[in-house]
Amino acid sequence: MVASKSNTGRSPATTGNRDTPGIASKLLRFASGTRAGATAISAAALTVMTLGGTALVVEQVWLADQRDMLKSATDAATIAATVTLGRELNNDPAISDEDLKAIIEPVARRFVILNLTHLPKERYDRAISTLVLEVVVHRAQRSVDVVARADLGGSLIARHLPMLRTAGMTDDVQVASRTESFVNPVEVVLAIDVSASMWELLNGISSCTDDEVARGCDPARGRENSRIAIVKRAAKNLVNILDPSAENRVAIGVVPWHTFVRLEPDAITRWERNNWARYPTRRVYPEPYVCKGSGCATPASIEETLAPTAPESWKGCLDSHRVGSVGTNASLPATSEFFVTPSERAFAKAFFPAGQGAAYECMTPPLPADFGWNICYHGRRYGTYSTDSFDPFKPQHGCSDANPAMLPLSTDAQAIDEAIDALEPVGNRTYSALGLLWGQRVLDHAWNRVWGSGDHPADPAASESEGIRKAIVLLTDGEDSHCGLGNQSCSSSELGFSRADACTSIKQAGTEIFVVAAMRPDRISSALGDSLRACSSETANSDASYAFLDNTTREQLEAAFADIATRLQTPRRVF
């Protein structure tokens, strides 16, 4: 009964399958016997071909749509993963590759899923259940690749046509996304303090033993834990992250500073040939001597006439002073002239610079009753007591071939690394405004001819340079001490500009300022900390810090430079 009922009630699909051979035989007999039959078969074949071709076209459009949706999701994932990578490396540069990947992979997966939530529920569920991700972390380049494979709903027609089942169609699609570092051109100057205290450890303790200090500590020993050694490693890591090149339109300059900056040899020749730096015959000095005791007043600054001609060849050191015509005073220009080129107003060659306590003419007996000491260039120099005498400073004291030279903006990573390797502490005083001002002069496109053509990879007037980022990274290890006793900030001295004036003008020019302290936070006074933050581009509305003052350990100082590099990057997808 059941079998009989089944035979009489079979479904149309079953009936169709069983009757197909009969229908085919009748069609073939019809076709062989009549012209109409042949025409009908041709039409049927053309219909099948048309239907198949249409199916293939629709299938390709459908798959392209799937790829586009999955590609958009992986693009978002790889950028989010890259940002996360930079943040994790900044927080813990020593994090293991395994721990890093364990953090990055969930981020990538979450962002892929978030960017597929617009799909209908059935297609979304199918996509999530079939989603396979491969995440590749490039630690050194600080970028992440994401490869995704998923079925976002399958094909429409082709997979249901028997004749196209072997056409290589699959339900899954696979896409890959990768990031690169920059969208906009970037120009950065590393303004690095090379005063003698940079040989110390971060905690301010000398890296020499007591015996070595007594005998004169040799800075060539390569003290790997000194401030300068840590800063050099951190700076080179920043260069590695930013990956300067002409193709990337990323350039980096290096400005070592203490109370001078020094030009590189080719620049010295060019500046002298163009009369951009001149020997002055008069300049202002802080005071003729320093008094001793608490009851005396330090004498006022004095203006002295110098030797009529330069005593020796110029070694390329400059400070903040400029001259007008030949023979005029070396003096500070107005702050509005900070960035006028040396062809408009020449700089004074630093043959007899006016640092803290220095003078050109030395005091001679009889000495004032409150005489403390006299630091000078010409005649005899007297120490703390009038009975002590020393040889005077030589011309260009503190300026020599040992001074690391400035490197203008360069897209050559090797040249930048070599300039960083050459950083050596040589100065006895700190003058951060000098490093900042010369850093901005390196960045200023109007100075392109001064430094040589081609140093600026991006012309600010060109449309492709829209959004260019210019930044100075100021590294200092203490308060300024250039402008004489009581005038450390140079806020009321003719010897130099205050850091505040320099920072204000630089930020008004559109340059970002990052400040890094190479010292423990417990050695930073509240006044110094406030002034460094005020110098930086940090504001109440800043989304991240521009002032990195909490550097108790080597890792924290190195992380500060890495964080700055990451901040200057704009991740984008490559493919």
Side-chain angles (χ1 to χ4, degrees), residues 283-552:
R283 76 179 307 157
V284 172
Y285 289 90
E287 56 268 327
Y289 68 92
V290 176
C291 66
K292 63 182 179 182
S294 59
C296 66
T298 299
S301 60
I302 57 173
E303 183 176 319
E304 294 184 327
T305 300
L306 312 183
T309 58
E312 57 188 21
S313 297
W314 183 45
K315 299 173 184 175
C317 286
L318 296 162
D319 54 23
S320 295
H321 290 73
R322 299 203 188 201
V323 299
S325 59
V326 174
T328 58
N329 293 358
S331 60
L332 295 179
T335 56
S336 60
E337 297 179 0
F338 272 161
F339 309 122
V340 298
T341 62
S343 61
E344 298 173 76
R345 184 173 180 186
F347 282 84
K349 295 178 178 179
F351 276 95
F352 301 106
Q356 177 182 339
Y360 179 67
E361 292 285 351
C362 298
M363 295 294 294
T364 57
L367 300 174
D370 58 355
F371 178 83
W373 67 86
N374 184 208
I375 302 173
C376 50
Y377 293 92
H378 192 264
R380 297 187 62 80
R381 186 183 74 168
Y382 290 88
T384 304
Y385 301 103
S386 60
T387 55
D388 296 333
S389 62
F390 307 89
D391 291 333
F393 282 161
K394 299 292 189 294
Q396 301 189 87
H397 173 77
C399 177
S400 69
D401 292 340
N403 281 68
M406 288 193 292
L407 175 72
L409 287 176
S410 174
T411 56
D412 184 342
Q414 180 177 345
I416 299 165
D417 281 349
E418 290 174 354
I420 293 171
D421 284 335
L423 295 175
E424 296 289 329
V426 291
N428 293 322
R429 300 178 183 90
T430 303
Y431 183 24
S432 59
L434 188 71
L436 288 161
L437 291 172
W438 283 99
Q440 180 61 25
R441 289 161 186 156
V442 167
L443 290 171
D444 193 334
H445 195 76
W447 283 60
N448 197 26
R449 177 173 172 265
V450 174
W451 305 120
S453 61
D455 293 315
H456 289 262
D459 181 352
S463 58
E464 63 268 19
S465 296
E466 183 178 356
I468 184 172
R469 295 187 69 178
K470 292 177 179 280
I472 296 174
V473 180
L474 174 68
L475 184 286
T476 183
D477 74 342
E479 182 58 277
D480 285 359
S481 58
H482 169 67
C483 287
L485 298 177
N487 290 310
Q488 285 87 348
S489 68
C490 297
S491 59
S492 59
S493 171
E494 296 182 78
L495 301 184
F497 294 105
S498 71
R499 180 172 52 234
D501 286 342
C503 297
T504 298
S505 296
I506 290 168
K507 288 184 287 188
Q508 287 175 346
T511 297
E512 298 172 79
I513 300 178
F514 297 88
V515 178
V516 183
M519 54 195 302
R520 286 193 344 195
D522 60 359
R523 299 179 64 86
I524 301 176
S525 68
S526 58
L528 175 59
D530 290 345
S531 67
L532 292 176
R533 289 188 185 88
C535 175
S536 78
S537 294
E538 188 168 311
T539 66
N541 298 323
S542 298
D543 58 357
S545 177
Y546 280 82
F548 300 83
L549 310 183
D550 187 16
N551 299 314
T552 303

Side-chain angles (χ1 to χ4, degrees), residues 257-297:
W257 58 268
H258 49 102
T259 53
F260 311 128
V261 295
R262 182 169 177 262
L263 300 175
E264 57 185 349
D266 289 345
I268 294 173
T269 301
R270 187 165 62 253
W271 279 56
E272 289 200 302
R273 182 177 63 245
N274 288 285
N275 210 24
W276 292 341
R278 300 173 184 167
Y279 173 76
T281 57
R282 290 181 66 83
R283 76 179 307 157
V284 172
Y285 289 90
E287 56 268 327
Y289 68 92
V290 176
C291 66
K292 63 182 179 182
S294 59
C296 66

Side-chain angles (χ1 to χ4, degrees), residues 150-365:
D151 179 0
L152 273 67
S155 53
L156 287 174
I157 301 174
R159 67 178 181 170
H160 298 294
L161 295 177
M163 68 185 69
L164 297 179
R165 284 176 180 163
T166 60
M169 298 297 178
T170 63
D171 290 338
D172 290 353
V173 293
Q174 178 171 306
V175 297
S177 289
R178 185 180 181 183
T179 54
E180 68 177 9
S181 296
F182 304 102
V183 174
N184 300 326
V186 177
E187 296 177 353
V188 184
V189 170
L190 305 177
I192 306 297
D193 185 349
V194 289
S195 59
S197 55
M198 286 293 290
W199 281 125
E200 296 177 355
L201 305 180
L202 282 177
N203 61 7
I205 299 174
S206 172
S207 52
C208 299
T209 66
D210 290 341
D211 286 343
E212 287 171 333
V213 170
R215 290 183 282 108
C217 188
D218 179 9
R221 289 195 311 130
R223 298 182 290 279
E224 66 277 4
N225 292 319
S226 64
R227 295 170 177 174
I228 192 65
I230 297 171
V231 168
K232 288 163 73 169
R233 288 194 297 268
K236 292 179 75 170
N237 186 43
L238 176 145
V239 174
N240 186 52
I241 294 170
L242 293 180
D243 190 23
S245 71
E247 293 75 20
N248 290 345
R249 296 183 299 165
V250 177
I252 298 175
V254 181
V255 176
W257 58 268
H258 49 102
T259 53
F260 311 128
V261 295
R262 182 169 177 262
L263 300 175
E264 57 185 349
D266 289 345
I268 294 173
T269 301
R270 187 165 62 253
W271 279 56
E272 289 200 302
R273 182 177 63 245
N274 288 285
N275 210 24
W276 292 341
R278 300 173 184 167
Y279 173 76
T281 57
R282 290 181 66 83
R283 76 179 307 157
V284 172
Y285 289 90
E287 56 268 327
Y289 68 92
V290 176
C291 66
K292 63 182 179 182
S294 59
C296 66
T298 299
S301 60
I302 57 173
E303 183 176 319
E304 294 184 327
T305 300
L306 312 183
T309 58
E312 57 188 21
S313 297
W314 183 45
K315 299 173 184 175
C317 286
L318 296 162
D319 54 23
S320 295
H321 290 73
R322 299 203 188 201
V323 299
S325 59
V326 174
T328 58
N329 293 358
S331 60
L332 295 179
T335 56
S336 60
E337 297 179 0
F338 272 161
F339 309 122
V340 298
T341 62
S343 61
E344 298 173 76
R345 184 173 180 186
F347 282 84
K349 295 178 178 179
F351 276 95
F352 301 106
Q356 177 182 339
Y360 179 67
E361 292 285 351
C362 298
M363 295 294 294
T364 57

